Amino acid sequence: MDDLTSLAPLLVAVPLASAAVLLLLGRRADRWGHWLGVLASGGAFVVAAVLLADLLGRPADERVVDVHLADWISAGSFDLSAGLRVDPLSLTFVLLVTFVGTLIHVYSVAYMAHDVARRRFFAYLNLFVAAMLLLVLADSYLLLFVGWEGVGLASYLLIGFWNHRTPYAVAAKKAFVANRVGDVGLLVALMLMFATFGAVDFDTVAAGVPAASTGTLTAIALMLLLAACGKSAQFPLQSWLGDAMAGPTPVSALIHAATMVTAGVYLIVRSAPVFEGAPTAQLVVTVVGAITLLIGAVIGCAKDDIKKALAASTMSQIGYMVLAAGLGPVGYAFAIFHLVTHGFFKAGMFLGAGSVMHGMGDRTDMRRFGGLRSVMVVTWLTFGAGWLAILGVPPFSGFWSKDKIIESAFVVPDAGGEWRAWLFGAVALLGAGITAFYMSRLFFLTFHGRRRWAPDADGHEPHPHESPALMTVPMVVLALGSVALGFLLQLGGGFTTWLEPVTGHVEHHEPVLAVPVIQGATLVAIALGLALAWRQYLSLPVPVTAPTGSVPTRAARADLYQDAVNDAVLVEPGRHLTRSLVYGDRTAVDGAFSGLGRLTVGLGELARKVQTGYARQYAATMLLGVVVLAAVVLAPRI
Amino acid sequence: MTEFVAPDIAWAQLTPILLVLGAAVAGVLVEAFVPRRARRPVQLTLTLGALAAAVVAVAALWGDVADTGGTDVLGGSVLVDGPTLVLQGTVAVLALLAVLVIADRTDTGEDAFAPQGAAVPGSGYEEAARAAGLQQTEVYPLVLFATGGMLIFPATGDLLTLFVALEVLSLPLYLLTGLARRRRLLSQEASMKYFLLGSFASALLLFGIALLYGFAGSLRYAEIAEAVRTVTGMDGLLLAGALLVLTGLLFKVGAVPFHSWTPDAYQGAPTPITGFMAACTKVAAFGALLRVLYVMLPDLRWDLEPALWTVAIATMVVGTVVALVQTDIKRVLAYSSIAHAGFVLTGVVALTESGIVATLFYLLAYGVATVGAFGVVTLVRERGAVRAAARQPVPAGAVRAVAGVPGPAGPGDAVDAAGAAGDPAATDDEDPGEPEGPVLGEATHLSQWAGLGRTNPVLAGTFALFLLSFAGIPLTAGFTGKFAVFTAAVDGDAWPLAVVGVLASAAAAFFYVRIIVLMFFTSPHGGPQTPATGAVDDPPGGAGVAAEVAADEVAADGVADTSPADRPGTVVVGSQGFALVAIGVCAVLTVALGVVPGPVLDAIADVARLLP
């Protein structure tokens, strides 16, 4: 094989084939199915590593490779070939998805060991991996959309994996519907692109941007943003992510922390040319990121459910990435950088949470944890690495990526507006402080302090214990990543240079404050948050039932009433609209239609009176027919 | 005296026809010389073999004809060109499928034909024949003769051959129509009507031929066309003759106003035969009609167009509207076939080359769905009362003839009940502990089809597929066919026909979907919510459909009707396999022609040129 990039289709094909085998073979594959799933994911990672080596061996300007698959749609003037694009951006995602994915597959073998439907679980996981890789490898928005829908489907199936419990099934439905809202955005964007550029592949769109009007570009960009908001749980479509924690914990780690939810960031970075043509839309992106960053952080402070607190933190961290992506070229590389480090430390913490739940009999209430450090040492250490990373404590991974985003937020954009730099910089800084508070709260509540364990409904005392090696090894690997990955990637600006073929080269911009000042302020904010959490949840005793709390606390517990708002603004009017439509349909449309039907039936009754059953009458009809026809033919001649 | 010159005959071109007719003659000899036991297998092998060989022969001739454009054989009496081959292939394939349905005895051990066709219904003679377990095998040579006629019909190059072919295909059909095992009086009445009206139509055709000969001095299409081209002034003979010839052909396709025989004959005939004639006859007759219009009378199109348009529109409208009020499944399908004749006519009347392709494709699509649909009907049967009760004389109230209606189905039904009860074969497969009566004739009343989708989802689903194809729903063959003929009509500046056709299709969809609703969304025996109390005041939704069907409507169409309460239950009998194969193949073809019609359309378009 002279060109290694032609291996790229395998990335999608292998997990997809594995998913198909697992689903089609049914129970026959129950005994070994999970290992096939692991193997498929691992195989995809090997292919990705080979591609990485291949790409690194090329000069920087040859690192964008298109792999043609097939002529897909050819209709009139619209020609679309299905193809994959292997470039630093997509390959970064591929490596993240397959590496973290494989670890989580391994973890799941043990985590789901007692589930009768483990094989189906792995089939769905493989399906997700295939769809996610298709999403990031696609070379056109349409093929990306296929992957986009595929991950949505896999996410739906996995959130509702235990769908015999109604709330879980409802959560799956909610996630699906919220995602659909975003998908409509992507669809509209596709249509607008087709109408504007006559094509939907990345190259043609990028080439057509300079000629398009700002208004059109803004519309396209806002629609893409809507799609990103749906998939990445950004304001105002964020409410589904907390409920999505109903899925098994490995799912939360892979799909709802490390990979799928970051697809929105990928979409924005991939569509950089469009967004750069639409400064207004870029501002909206930044604003959305900033709002979500704060919302997620506030919600995270109030949640007592360990997974929901982590979900809120995911939302908030993705808010950082979206904010960075909205800053333009100065932020793209850092958004992706943070995405990668976040993928590691958040997945690691989710797996840690899964390990804790595993040991505590599937309990999730942190007020009933405490003091687990001594019984779950590996979990405690790995979780601690993730905790320090997300806080942004140097030299852990998160420091290198998050700090860059905060610095970038303080940069005055090219379009001007110094207020933006101050506003977004302050929000990012504030977010870092709150993050430190709620993540420390989570960490202390779970692993430190008094043991507040309580028997479950059946009276069983929990017997926390360390998880088996199949679970701890992936956690350790991810913890190593949380510790060192950030530092390694930023060495000599390595990661930003690597992404340059896609994001473009950016001259360094000076923030409005000196960099050391920003770094210092950030560290102070982190220390403050940490100290507050220390005082509240380590020095003072923690009540085992949540106190009523202040108004903001209650609001945060209720996800800042986003569900209520959605209900009032969207669901109720929608319900009224459908009701009136049904009424109109019944009376007007059906009425007209059944009237027509009655008329026709009446005609039929009349016509069948002629069909008497008498042969003589039939013959007469025929004769009459001939005469009439003769008259018709001869009439013009007379 | 001119010396008789023997024409040079290209026998190879006639292979399909010769194979089928030869097998038919051999079949008659089989009847005479092969012992009774062995007759059925021998006849079946012979028939299926001959038809399959005919299909192969058509395929073998294909390449040659595609290159040369065709040959005239027998001095121009038979024209073997592209359309001929397409039609012959279609007829042979459909006949093959129909024969499979005909051959199926189902697991009751009975076929659809009277044990002794000559026996008077209800007589002791018939009872004796039934008791002796006689089975008709003359059916197979009869079908082969009819098929032979149908193979010649679209290939004819002169009017005399046309007439001979018409009679060859018609006479066996008259006989076959009268051979139903159940409701024999209805069947014989249908046969009689078909024969009388068919003869009448033949007479008109013959008269038309005579007039055309008087006009042109020749029977050859090509020479008549030449004469039409050069005619000046007086052409009364020509117009009248052309009209009468067309009348004869339109009778065969069942176009309004020459359709009256269709519902009665389709309902009375044994159902497998109904499928055979509904599919194959129509294909052959439209083939002949195409040739007459395109080859013999193209220069008369301005004169004939008003008449043809009238017929096409009337056929679509009457077929659709009257089908809406039918309560008998076979009559619904009969009227639907009339409506379809109208749709095909829009393609024929277009008088463009795309019209030929569209017509040929439509006939294929319609044919497979028809054979399949009637195949399904043969399997849906009535379940009689418990045996002890069935031995009792039939209560007078159970079967009533509607006053003034000559269709005396009452005695026929009585014979059915008594006969089936006395027939050991009918109950052989019954579970002795089962308190249900013997399997009787077909359950043709629509109300008896209620809930079939729940008890037999696959069979009902397949039937629904055929209905959807009839309705012209996309992804079925029917859609492609309708699309093709309407496009052809628009191309040929006959857009009013296309408009009427689309409207009629929309209305027709109603009664097809009604049957689907009935099968899948209505519980058996009465409506879903309300029992049939005669409330036909159009309650909305599914209840209306059910009530409409279940309500005791008097079938004014010459059929005695019983009230729903008296109607026996419905049961689906198992097939010996033949019918299932046929139904399966039809279903597959219906989907395949709907999903990927391209290759077939291209193949037809490749050869769709009529020889002058």
Side-chain angles (χ1 to χ4, degrees), chain A residues 253-598:
Chain A
L254 179 61
I255 301 185
H256 304 119
T259 56
M260 184 191 86
V261 286
T262 56
V265 182
Y266 169 80
L267 184 68
I268 295 173
V269 174
R270 182 57 90 187
S271 312
V274 177
F275 280 94
E276 273 152 37
T280 321
Q282 266 185 318
L283 179 61
V284 178
V285 172
T286 322
V287 170
V288 165
I291 293 179
T292 316
L293 186 171
L294 288 180
I295 288 184
V298 169
I299 293 176
C301 295
K303 289 288 180 187
D304 289 334
D305 180 313
I306 184 168
K307 284 182 74 181
K308 294 206 168 171
L310 283 173
S313 140
T314 304
M315 209 186 286
S316 166
Q317 295 299 312
I318 297 174
Y320 270 111
M321 302 172 208
V322 170
L323 186 149
L327 295 173
V330 69
Y332 293 145
F334 301 134
I336 300 299
F337 188 20
H338 192 54
L339 192 156
V340 172
T341 55
H342 172 259
F344 274 79
F345 60 68
K346 185 55 67 62
M349 283 194 283
F350 261 112
L351 293 190
S355 174
V356 168
M357 287 162 60
H358 195 71
M360 295 292 286
D362 282 338
R363 259 160 284 231
T364 55
D365 185 1
M366 292 189 289
R367 291 185 186 274
R368 288 297 182 177
F369 292 165
L372 288 173
R373 177 184 52 172
S374 48
V375 285
M376 306 178 84
V377 179
V378 181
T379 308
W380 174 63
L381 282 173
T382 55
F383 203 102
W387 168 59
L388 291 170
I390 196 173
L391 255 54
V393 175
F396 290 86
S397 284
F399 166 75
W400 305 103
S401 53
K402 199 202 270 182
D403 203 60
K404 287 290 181 194
I405 292 182
I406 299 175
E407 281 174 29
S408 309
F410 273 110
V411 170
V412 180
D414 295 334
E418 201 169 314
W419 60 271
R420 288 198 209 174
W422 288 106
L423 176 66
F424 295 130
V427 168
L429 196 59
L430 180 63
I434 308 180
T435 305
F437 171 73
Y438 72 79
M439 284 312 296
S440 306
R441 168 180 181 268
L442 191 157
F443 188 67
F444 295 152
L445 278 179
T446 305
F447 291 102
H448 295 268
R450 199 165 51 82
R451 294 183 175 179
R452 301 177 300 276
W453 310 343
D456 62 12
D458 301 331
H460 296 298
E461 285 290 336
H463 295 289
H465 52 85
E466 188 53 88
S467 301
L470 274 180
M471 287 168 68
T472 50
V473 169
M475 285 154 59
V476 170
V477 176
L478 289 173
L480 292 178
S482 313
V483 173
L485 189 69
F487 175 73
L488 293 177
L489 287 182
Q490 64 84 44
L491 270 181
F495 191 73
T496 26
T497 321
W498 157 249
L499 281 179
E500 257 173 20
V502 183
T503 57
H505 181 72
V506 190
E507 290 304 322
H508 184 69
H509 288 68
E510 274 309 312
V512 285
L513 286 171
V515 172
V517 177
I518 297 176
Q519 284 185 348
T522 310
L523 289 176
V524 168
I526 292 170
L528 279 176
L530 185 66
L532 195 61
W534 181 284
R535 194 186 78 86
Q536 186 84 20
Y537 297 100
L538 217 50
S539 325
L540 299 178
V542 179
V544 289
T545 48
T548 320
S550 59
V551 175
T553 315
R554 272 175 285 161
R557 275 191 201 131
D559 295 336
L560 298 181
Y561 303 119
Q562 181 69 28
D563 282 337
V565 170
N566 283 353
D567 259 4
V569 176
L570 299 172
V571 180
E572 276 308 316
R575 214 170 267 161
H576 281 293
L577 181 66
T578 49
R579 266 194 217 126
S580 41
L581 278 181
V582 167
Y583 177 76
D585 184 57
R586 287 245 172 83
T587 48
V589 180
D590 285 3
F593 190 75
S594 48
L596 200 65
R598 257 193 292 264

Side-chain angles (χ1 to χ4, degrees), chain A residues 586 590 593-634 636-637, chain B residues 189 193 196-197 200-201 204 235 239 243-244 247 251 257-261 263-264 303-304 306-307 310-311 321-322 324-327 331 335 404 406 510 537-538 548 553-558:
Chain A
R586 287 245 172 83
D590 285 3
F593 190 75
S594 48
L596 200 65
R598 257 193 292 264
L599 182 73
T600 319
V601 169
L603 279 178
E605 293 288 352
L606 211 63
R608 86 170 180 189
K609 294 266 159 52
V610 184
Q611 195 80 13
T612 52
Y614 292 108
R616 56 177 184 270
Q617 199 153 345
Y618 292 175
T621 317
M622 284 171 62
L623 193 61
L624 188 68
V626 174
V627 171
V628 168
L629 288 187
V632 169
V633 171
L634 294 175
R637 316 216 142 203
Chain B
E189 182 189 328
K193 283 180 190 167
L196 284 175
L197 296 168
F200 187 42
L204 292 176
D235 54 358
L239 278 182
L243 203 60
L244 289 174
T247 302
F251 172 85
F258 316 110
H259 68 291
S260 324
W261 61 277
D264 291 5
D303 293 295
L304 291 178
T310 312
V311 170
V321 167
V322 183
L324 287 175
V325 291
Q326 297 305 316
T327 54
R331 287 186 88 84
Y335 278 106
F510 171 76
D537 237 12
D538 255 355
E548 198 180 315
E553 296 168 26
V554 177
D557 284 315

Side-chain angles (χ1 to χ4, degrees), chain A residues 226-252:
Chain A
L226 180 63
C229 285
K231 196 59 87 190
S232 293
Q234 296 296 293
F235 179 81
L237 297 176
Q238 82 280 23
S239 65
W240 65 269
L241 188 61
D243 294 345
M245 294 302 123
T249 307
V251 172
S252 312

